[in-house]
Amino acid sequence: MLLPLALLAGSAGAFLFGAFVIAVRLDVSSPRGPIYAAGTALAALVLLLAAALFAHRLRAAQRRHEQLATARALAEERRRMAADVHDLIMQELSFALTNARALVDDPKLAPQARAVVAAAERALGGARDVVANL
């Protein structure tokens, strides 16, 4: 979409320059000369406005394209971070939590195992919150 707009704006600019050259070279001393010159100047003005409109639309389209590219990059980085947190942290926490829960049944290790289980559950809950808020 950007390339056709750029080509159209460039073509309008070239045509505008040609119309200006023709208007300057018209013989204004002939009876219809001033009318032709005024018509050519009006056409040039219309083309100038059209070129300005196309340039404005081109800049707006470029801004939208940049905003979309930024949004896509941010979304991809969030997905990557969520995957890293899941793969590197949450799986290891789940493993440690499972093993700590198994130790709770041992009467000698129960108090320490309960503390480790509680800490691992808090850490796992925090990691889930981090992933959910990415």
Side-chain angles (χ1 to χ4, degrees):
M1 172 160 164
L2 297 180
L3 183 61
L5 284 177
L7 290 174
L8 191 55
S11 299
F15 186 72
L16 175 64
F17 179 73
F20 176 75
V21 169
I22 290 171
V24 168
R25 298 198 64 182
L26 281 176
D27 181 15
V28 291
S29 63
S30 72
R32 291 191 178 164
I35 295 171
Y36 290 142
T40 303
L42 181 61
L45 179 61
V46 168
L47 287 174
L48 177 64
L49 291 174
L53 177 65
F54 284 124
H56 174 74
R57 287 185 178 177
L58 178 62
R59 285 190 301 272
Q62 287 172 333
R63 279 192 300 273
R64 281 192 305 274
H65 177 73
E66 290 169 0
Q67 289 170 346
L68 288 173
T70 300
R72 279 193 296 269
L74 284 173
E76 181 58 35
E77 183 63 14
R78 286 183 181 124
R79 279 191 290 276
R80 186 195 63 75
M81 289 173 61
D84 286 349
V85 168
H86 178 267
D87 293 345
L88 301 174
I89 297 171
M90 292 177 75
Q91 287 182 352
E92 292 298 322
L93 279 172
S94 295
F95 175 76
L97 184 57
T98 300
N99 287 318
R101 283 181 179 148
L103 296 175
V104 170
D105 295 335
D106 186 344
K108 294 179 186 175
L109 300 175
Q112 294 90 356
R114 280 191 212 96
V116 171
V117 167
E121 286 174 345
R122 284 191 306 271
L124 195 56
R128 285 185 183 123
D129 289 342
V130 167
V131 169
N133 290 323
L134 281 179

